[in-house]
Amino acid sequence: MKIREYRSYFIQELTPIFDEGEAESFFYLILEEKQQLKRIDLALQPDLELNENEIVIWNSFLEQLKQEIPVQYLLGKTSFYGLDFEVNSNVLIPRPETEELVEWIIQNSKISVEDKKIKILDIGTGSGCIAISLAKNIKNSKVFAIDISHKALATAKKNAENNKVEITFLQENILVTTDLNQNFDIIVSNPPYVRNLEKQEVKKNVLDNEPHLALFVEDNDALIFYKKITELAKKNLTPSGELFFEINQYLGPEMIEMLEKMNFHNIELRKDIYGNDRMTRGTR
Ligand code: GLN
């Protein structure tokens, strides 16, 4: 079968579930990753053939996509802030909103004194996407990253290696940590923040495949991680150190109130590209 014929079949099979653009983007992602062919190659050689083995592989991707398994897990990789990351079901797939948080921290760090060593801590690092992209892009940074999950940390360590950055990883349950035993210039976290009451808004592909440990919190204590991390930040940030969070879009005002109560200064709430309250900053 010619690849372009298979392409039509593939897109047609997926369009009841996904829109055409999305189905097409899956096709080209798999083409690039699994066949080392780009869109342009297909345009230049419209008669390229798929052999039987290749069709078996393509069909297996197709079946899994139909079950709404995220394409990033199927390929085992994704890109975040221009870097490649391995991903698997032990870690959340990095989101574009989180790239915006990283961008904010990087821009913000440029304002601070040149050549000063900047000590950064990422809490709940998952794939390591925040820690690694900060380490790559902030000069003189020394980055630490914590996660409760050994499996997530194994993935994050691999990602740090692949991206050639040195990060100190620590396995810890932040909810029981009372002191981080050292001070940081920046603490950042994208902790679990989706309330159970919001579960019906969560798409099937996320709900069925991504780690619930990284996503959900109890309705009656939705800020549990934020409160704990803010307390630790009060203790373990340097005097003008900064605390950055990715947040639940419905809890912007509650977050501001909590940071104010904890006597943080220069508090700022920002929206993401979709116009939702998505991140905060506060200075100790
Ligand atoms: N933004 C993620 C989602 O939409 C949630 C991330 C988190 O809970 N930290 O599923």
Side-chain angles (χ1 to χ4, degrees), residues 47-160:
D47 290 332
L48 272 177
E49 288 281 334
L50 281 180
N51 66 36
E52 267 176 43
N53 273 342
E54 288 168 334
I55 291 177
V56 170
I57 294 169
W58 272 96
N59 282 341
S60 132
F61 277 111
L62 182 57
E63 282 319 306
Q64 295 179 86
L65 285 169
K66 280 187 186 168
Q67 290 161 31
E68 299 193 43
I69 300 175
V71 72
Q72 294 92 334
Y73 286 155
L74 294 180
L75 296 172
K77 64 181 281 193
T78 191
S79 111
F80 179 87
Y81 210 78
L83 303 169
D84 285 337
F85 286 86
E86 285 188 20
V87 289
N88 53 57
S89 57
N90 299 308
V91 300
L92 215 62
I93 297 168
R95 310 282 204 266
E97 304 89 288
T98 310
E99 285 179 320
E100 293 184 74
L101 175 67
V102 164
E103 174 67 12
W104 188 8
I105 300 171
I106 291 169
Q107 293 311 326
N108 199 67
S109 75
K110 288 185 181 153
I111 304 165
S112 63
V113 200
E114 284 281 310
D115 297 333
K116 188 181 152 265
K117 203 132 196 78
I118 303 179
K119 242 169 109 178
I120 301 174
L121 172 66
D122 175 24
I123 299 176
T125 197
S127 65
C129 64
I130 296 177
I132 292 165
S133 45
L134 292 179
K136 259 298 209 237
N137 290 285
I138 300 181
K139 268 200 304 181
N140 309 316
S141 58
K142 171 82 190 96
V143 181
F144 296 73
I146 292 177
D147 207 283
I148 190 173
S149 157
H150 283 288
K151 289 179 177 170
L153 283 173
T155 305
K157 279 179 192 165
K158 241 172 148 190
N159 282 325

Side-chain angles (χ1 to χ4, degrees), residues 92 95 97 190-194 206 214-215 246:
L92 215 62
R95 310 282 204 266
E97 304 89 288
N190 173 19
Y193 61 65
V194 181
V206 175
L215 285 170
E246 179 172 321

Side-chain angles (χ1 to χ4, degrees), residues 92-93 95 97-98 189-194 202-203 206 210 212 214-217 226 246-249 278:
L92 215 62
I93 297 168
R95 310 282 204 266
E97 304 89 288
T98 310
S189 184
N190 173 19
Y193 61 65
V194 181
V202 178
K203 293 206 179 100
V206 175
E210 299 202 64
H212 287 202
L215 285 170
F216 295 107
V217 286
Y226 297 91
E246 179 172 321
I247 65 158
N248 181 316
Q249 65 189 84
R278 187 59 71 201

Side-chain angles (χ1 to χ4, degrees), residues 222-239:
L223 299 186
I224 180 168
F225 288 99
Y226 297 91
K227 288 181 191 155
K228 181 69 203 207
I229 293 167
T230 306
E231 271 170 33
L232 287 169
K234 206 68 207 162
K235 211 182 270 181
N236 295 118
L237 270 177
T238 53

Side-chain angles (χ1 to χ4, degrees), residues 258-279:
M258 190 273 291
L259 289 167
E260 279 171 357
K261 248 196 202 146
M262 294 291 288
N263 280 320
F264 272 74
H265 310 287
N266 306 320
I267 297 168
E268 199 181 327
L269 172 65
R270 283 200 184 177
K271 292 186 192 303
D272 61 22
I273 18 157
Y274 310 109
N276 296 318
D277 286 344
R278 187 59 71 201
M279 49 210 132

